[in-house]
Amino acid sequence: GENEYKAFKIDWWQIPEWDDEEQTWKKRDENWHKMQVGNLGSEEAFQLQYGTEFTVSTAALISNKKIVSEGLSAQQFINKDLPGIVGSDCFFWKPDYNIEDLRNDFFVFTTDISEGVNQDSTVQQFNKIIGVDGDGQAMTETVGYFKTNAKNDKECCEILADFYDKYLLSNHYLVSLEYNLYGELWIANFSILLDKNNYANFSADNFVKFYNDSMTKYWYGIRVTSKTKKMACKLFKSDYDSTYIINRSTQFLDELRHFVDKNGNGTYEASFGHDDLVMSQIQLPLTKQSLQFKNLVDEYITYTQNGLKSGNINFFDTIGEISDYDYFESQEYTNSLNRRFF
């Protein structure tokens, strides 16, 4: 803000290569990358010649090779208007994702809560279930995220609750929060909102519950300690490398590239800048171990097998009313769920 200069970045895969034989420009791809590494002798030499990363950190959670591979299909997530939602400028979407599909898709929302206004950003990733393998393991793709450092906790909760209710079906999604001081504050905010509003598609049952070892008590949210964070990072790396978790947002990849084990003790964090998008994403593998997620996957399988028979639901056909499909999500039923909150 002190002058008119602004930083920008152009990666090697964004620059076309001239093909002398065909006399045309062609997109640089992974084969081109491998050839140049072979010509220059190493990945480090390639990065020095063509890359925007002049050092290849062996301490990074995800290898540079994997990030480069994902970067070939990366897209800048963009803001799209959400009719009826105050604060829709905080939502960013994969460019080719159709907002009208929200009503039909299944999601796990994973959240990293900031310390307050003008601090790190509060981020919630929108992880869409896109398939289930033969072992019953679900694959997800991030198609959007909520991000702001200008809204306080109360405002964030109000915006998100309104979004869940107006744009989703109650049995199609789960919300995961980090169980800490700010997570407890968010739960309290959501509890007040549930008491005040007759939501048709948002209730306490949409929050991921985590149980103690004896399965006698539960709390809303993931307890992130140094131990669980190490486990989450390990599980995330496995799922991300094997494409069970897909996130090709350029904003996310920029943070992931610098998410490293700075002290060599297995605790990963940003080497510089922010890691809010990454911290919200690594919560996903822990969420996938919950009983509710397994039930959501079963619901997804049933829906995808039978959904075509009854027809999919268009959001713009149902906004402002409860459709026949939402019969069991009537106000009386939802209120009974809300009364069980806490």
Side-chain angles (χ1 to χ4, degrees):
E2 296 178 1
N3 55 48
E4 294 181 340
Y5 290 96
K6 296 184 185 299
F8 65 94
K9 181 172 72 170
I10 300 173
D11 284 302
W12 61 260
W13 57 81
Q14 297 175 279
I15 302 171
E17 189 78 5
W18 179 255
D19 188 314
D20 281 331
E21 291 185 4
E22 298 186 18
Q23 291 292 297
T24 186
W25 294 98
K26 287 191 173 182
K27 181 180 176 66
R28 289 174 172 176
D29 57 15
E30 182 59 24
N31 289 331
W32 179 89
H33 169 232
K34 289 178 180 178
M35 181 64 70
Q36 299 310 314
V37 170
N39 291 340
L40 295 167
S42 70
E43 180 69 30
E44 288 81 0
F46 173 83
Q47 288 297 329
L48 184 63
Q49 183 72 16
Y50 292 104
T52 55
E53 303 296 319
F54 298 134
T55 59
V56 180
S57 175
T58 57
L61 177 64
I62 303 298
S63 70
N64 187 70
K65 181 179 180 180
K66 174 66 175 178
I67 292 175
V68 167
S69 175
E70 293 299 287
L72 294 172
S73 304
Q75 293 178 293
Q76 180 96 8
F77 280 28
I78 60 174
N79 183 246
K80 295 184 180 183
D81 185 45
L82 294 170
I85 302 296
V86 176
S88 64
D89 58 322
C90 300
F91 293 78
F92 300 87
W93 303 93
K94 187 181 176 187
D96 56 0
Y97 183 72
N98 188 348
I99 299 298
E100 295 181 31
D101 290 338
L102 283 165
R103 203 83 167 162
N104 299 306
D105 290 336
F106 286 72
F107 290 98
V108 179
F109 301 134
T110 50
T111 319
D112 184 57
I113 303 170
S114 77
E115 297 178 359
V117 175
N118 296 323
Q119 302 295 317
D120 290 339
S121 294
T122 289
V123 172
Q124 185 170 102
Q125 298 274 12
F126 305 160
N127 306 295
K128 172 188 168 182
I129 299 177
I130 59 172
V132 181
D133 71 7
D135 296 324
Q137 185 170 352
M139 294 162 278
T140 65
E141 179 180 11
T142 304
V143 297
Y145 60 84
F146 171 89
K147 181 179 181 181
T148 180
N149 69 345
K151 306 287 186 185
N152 62 34
D153 294 306
K154 184 172 180 289
E155 291 171 319
C156 288
C157 292
E158 288 173 345
I159 293 169
L160 289 169
D162 200 28
F163 167 69
Y164 303 150
D165 185 54
K166 290 181 177 177
Y167 278 80
L168 304 170
L169 288 179
S170 62
N171 58 340
H172 280 210
Y173 71 97
L174 292 172
V175 179
S176 174
L177 304 173
E178 182 179 348
Y179 186 85
N180 57 12
L181 175 63
Y182 307 108
E184 290 185 46
L185 178 60
W186 273 46
I187 290 293
N189 287 335
F190 280 128
S191 181
I192 292 170
L193 290 169
L194 287 167
D195 284 340
K196 286 172 55 179
N197 300 284
N198 291 322
Y199 293 123
N201 291 297
F202 175 46
S203 76
D205 280 8
N206 290 116
F207 291 95
V208 178
K209 304 178 184 69
F210 287 87
Y211 290 81
N212 60 9
D213 292 339
S214 61
M215 298 294 288
T216 56
K217 294 182 180 179
Y218 68 82
W219 57 89
Y220 294 98
I222 296 175
R223 295 179 186 270
V224 178
T225 63
S226 59
K227 182 179 180 180
T228 56
K229 183 178 178 182
K230 289 179 182 178
M231 182 190 302
C233 287
K234 183 177 181 179
L235 292 172
F236 169 76
K237 176 177 175 58
S238 175
D239 280 2
Y240 192 73
D241 284 344
S242 57
T243 66
Y244 280 101
I245 293 176
I246 298 172
N247 187 334
R248 294 186 177 126
S249 155
T250 56
Q251 297 95 323
F252 171 75
L253 290 173
D254 282 344
E255 286 192 10
L256 188 61
R257 184 177 284 111
H258 304 293
F259 193 66
V260 302
D261 183 4
K262 293 171 68 173
N263 301 315
N265 59 2
T267 302
Y268 290 84
E269 59 185 299
S271 58
F272 63 87
H274 300 281
D275 58 13
D276 314 305
L277 288 165
V278 177
M279 287 303 299
S280 55
Q281 190 71 78
I282 66 169
Q283 207 177 101
L284 181 56
L286 298 180
T287 303
K288 288 167 70 174
Q289 295 183 11
S290 69
L291 177 62
Q292 284 165 287
F293 180 78
K294 292 176 175 60
N295 291 336
L296 183 67
V297 170
D298 289 341
E299 187 79 23
Y300 165 81
I301 293 171
T302 301
Y303 183 82
T304 52
Q305 288 175 345
N306 301 326
L308 293 176
K309 297 178 182 179
S310 58
N312 288 338
I313 299 170
N314 188 312
F315 166 73
F316 293 102
D317 293 336
T318 59
I319 187 168
E321 63 180 0
I322 301 176
S323 68
D324 292 339
Y325 189 90
D326 296 328
Y327 174 79
F328 289 108
E329 303 306 327
S330 65
Q331 290 186 2
E332 180 179 354
Y333 176 71
T334 304
N335 289 343
S336 71
L337 290 176
N338 293 345
R339 285 194 291 271
R340 300 209 308 272
F341 202 49
F342 293 120

